[in-house]
Amino acid sequence: MIITKTPFRVSFCGGGSDIADFYREYGGCVLSTSINRYMYITVHPYFDENRTALKYSQNEIVEDIKDIKHSIFRYVLNDKQISGVEISSTADVPSGTGLGSSSAFTVGLLHTLACYKGKYVSKGKLAKEACEVEIDKLGAPIGKQDQYAVSYGGLNYIRFHKDDTVSVEPVIAKGDTIRKLQENIVMFYTGLTHNANKILAEQKQNIREAEKTANLIRMCELAEYLKKSLEQNDLNDFGNILNESWIKKKELAAHISNPMIDEMYECAMQSGALGGKLLGAGGGGFLLFYCPREKQALLRENLRLKPFDFRFEHDGTSVVYIGDKYWGEE
């Protein structure tokens, strides 16, 4: 048996600039961090070697891997020509909540199967392959930030170049600065889930509108400014930048926010938050705020949403268990 864990991510600024329609013309960038909530993927030979068993939100047992219903499982297992195994996925956070769960699943699956076949694959290659699976092969209208964020782990400034290459640059700041950043960030679950692909498809369609393009260019400028502020150990403008970026992001597509989310956000701002955003594509999931510690109790009291505790993590996708008996093949 082999088990991997792949972290979820929190994106602070720049989301949307990782979509090819934008970065191939202007270049894109995102400031994000991985967190200590994970997608776990387990693989081992199935008792019946003529069948393949999959356990996720549903259970599948098939004789022919071409008959798998789950699109990512189906493509990857057929591409790798792996069958006769049992694979299960378990997540700390449900899908559709804006923490990059789909890409964490894809990266984790590719990592686990590479280990199962006895092959080492770099984090950069895992991220690139996950992008190819989700975007190029399966046609998801998503960007590239999640795959690289969860593969590499850590607090990073990720750049998306016009030639389709990606650079991952760790943000270098003092330990006290990172600790203060974590202390001043609070997250709440809205109780709403979303269809990320539907929202992103609309956003992708709108990108070539001049106003939307200008918004994304400004969001990239804000991401770069956040990076420089952290490197200078200055958090004074962090909340204000989040707030401006959220205002710009809401204008990219109609369903990124809604009246209920807007009301929650305004309540938080009146309760001491200096800025924030809805994580992921929008429409639901988690609200993140930058709020001084001394005002967080009031924020929790007034917002009346379920708080979500987390910490930054640094490892990215990793192997956590290899059984004594190993059945991998070249």
Side-chain angles (χ1 to χ4, degrees):
M1 177 183 289
I2 296 173
I3 305 174
T4 66
K5 69 175 184 179
T6 303
F8 293 141
R9 66 92 187 99
V10 166
S11 177
F12 292 116
C13 196
S17 70
D18 59 327
I19 294 176
D21 297 69
F22 178 82
Y23 73 70
R24 284 176 180 165
E25 187 167 352
Y26 301 98
C29 62
V30 169
L31 183 75
S32 68
T33 184
S34 55
I35 63 173
N36 64 341
R37 296 293 183 267
Y38 301 95
M39 174 72 68
Y40 297 90
I41 306 289
T42 302
V43 62
H44 64 89
Y46 191 46
F47 178 78
D48 183 348
E49 63 183 15
N50 295 314
R51 294 184 176 186
T52 299
L54 307 173
K55 298 179 180 179
Y56 49 106
S57 57
Q58 302 178 31
N59 291 340
E60 292 191 57
I61 299 178
V62 298
E63 294 184 358
D64 189 337
I65 54 177
K66 293 180 180 178
D67 295 331
I68 294 171
K69 296 178 181 178
H70 190 289
S71 60
I72 297 175
F73 268 133
R74 182 176 64 250
Y75 177 81
V76 172
L77 289 175
N78 276 279
D79 183 59
K80 306 295 183 185
Q81 286 298 291
I82 295 175
S83 60
V85 294
E86 180 175 352
I87 307 176
S88 63
S89 69
T90 306
D92 289 333
V93 181
S95 61
T97 53
L99 296 181
S101 59
S102 176
S103 295
F105 172 82
T106 307
V107 168
L109 179 62
L110 292 169
H111 192 186
T112 306
L113 294 181
C115 293
Y116 183 76
K117 298 187 76 172
K119 297 180 178 179
Y120 167 78
V121 182
S122 70
K123 292 182 178 183
K125 187 173 181 180
L126 284 172
K128 182 179 180 181
E129 187 175 0
C131 290
E132 291 171 351
V133 170
E134 294 188 275
I135 302 170
D136 300 333
K137 302 301 181 181
L138 298 179
I142 61 175
K144 291 183 173 182
Q145 66 159 313
D146 291 355
Q147 299 86 346
Y148 283 86
V150 304
S151 291
Y152 280 86
L155 177 61
N156 297 305
Y157 179 69
I158 307 173
R159 290 184 294 166
F160 311 98
H161 302 288
K162 296 178 183 180
D163 62 358
D164 283 319
T165 59
V166 179
S167 301
V168 180
E169 181 181 345
V171 175
I172 307 301
K174 291 181 179 179
D176 287 345
T177 302
I178 300 302
R179 282 191 291 273
K180 184 178 179 181
L181 177 61
Q182 290 190 114
E183 289 172 356
N184 288 347
I185 289 176
V186 288
M187 196 188 303
F188 300 90
Y189 182 49
T190 65
L192 307 172
T193 57
H194 64 256
N195 184 333
N197 283 359
K198 182 178 180 180
I199 296 171
L200 288 169
E202 180 188 355
Q203 182 177 321
K204 182 177 179 181
Q205 185 177 358
N206 293 343
I207 277 178
R208 295 196 178 279
E209 296 179 15
E211 181 182 356
K212 307 300 191 287
T213 298
N215 280 13
L216 282 170
I217 291 173
R218 177 57 179 164
M219 289 164 66
C220 287
E221 292 173 350
L222 293 172
E224 184 175 1
Y225 187 69
L226 271 187
K227 170 183 175 288
K228 291 179 179 178
S229 296
L230 286 170
E231 291 175 339
Q232 294 169 1
N233 302 293
D234 181 4
L235 295 175
N236 290 332
D237 290 332
F238 202 96
N240 293 332
I241 293 172
L242 284 183
N243 184 56
E244 182 180 347
S245 181
W246 170 239
I247 292 171
K248 297 293 184 185
K249 180 176 179 178
K250 286 197 302 179
E251 297 173 352
L252 296 178
H255 300 291
I256 288 178
S257 189
N258 58 52
M260 184 180 298
I261 292 170
D262 289 342
E263 183 178 347
M264 295 174 186
Y265 190 90
E266 183 59 30
C267 175
M269 294 294 285
Q270 293 179 1
S271 301
L274 300 179
K277 61 172 295 186
L278 191 68
L279 296 174
F286 288 92
L287 275 167
L288 175 143
F289 296 102
Y290 185 86
C291 181
R293 289 187 67 185
E294 64 270 16
K295 296 184 179 180
Q296 290 177 13
L298 178 63
L299 174 60
R300 291 187 174 93
E301 180 182 349
N302 290 345
L303 203 53
R304 296 182 181 180
L305 293 175
K306 181 179 179 180
F308 180 76
D309 294 328
F310 69 96
R311 303 294 291 174
F312 297 169
E313 77 92 57
H314 309 285
D315 295 332
T317 187
S318 58
V319 178
V320 295
Y321 179 79
I322 297 180
D324 293 336
K325 192 172 182 179
Y326 179 71
W327 289 278
E329 297 180 349
E330 287 293 338

